[in-house]
Amino acid sequence: MKIIKLAVIGITLMTALSSCEKKYTCTCVYPGSTVGTTQTEFKAAKKADAETTCNSQNTAAKAKGGSCAL
């Protein structure tokens, strides 16, 4: 019985401590450039966080004639 209790406690702790982050990819396209297309993968807890990060990359890409999207 002690083994079962320890197993249940272990599984519960592993579940509670695991992250729920998802991977998102921000794709940047630079037409007419030698850079071409770049992709940046990152983890974020919410899609809104991922969009914010990609939008900041889009601002930098616009300065070089490109654009980025999630």
Side-chain angles (χ1 to χ4, degrees), residues 8 10 12-13 17-19 25 38 43 48 50 57 62 64 66 69-70:
V8 170
T12 304
L13 283 174
L17 297 176
S18 66
S19 69
T25 303
T38 62
K43 292 182 181 180
Q57 288 183 356
K62 282 183 179 179
K64 297 178 183 178
L70 191 61

Side-chain angles (χ1 to χ4, degrees), residues 33-45:
S33 173
T34 58
V35 176
T37 303
T38 62
Q39 292 185 337
T40 306
E41 281 193 16
F42 50 91
K43 292 182 181 180

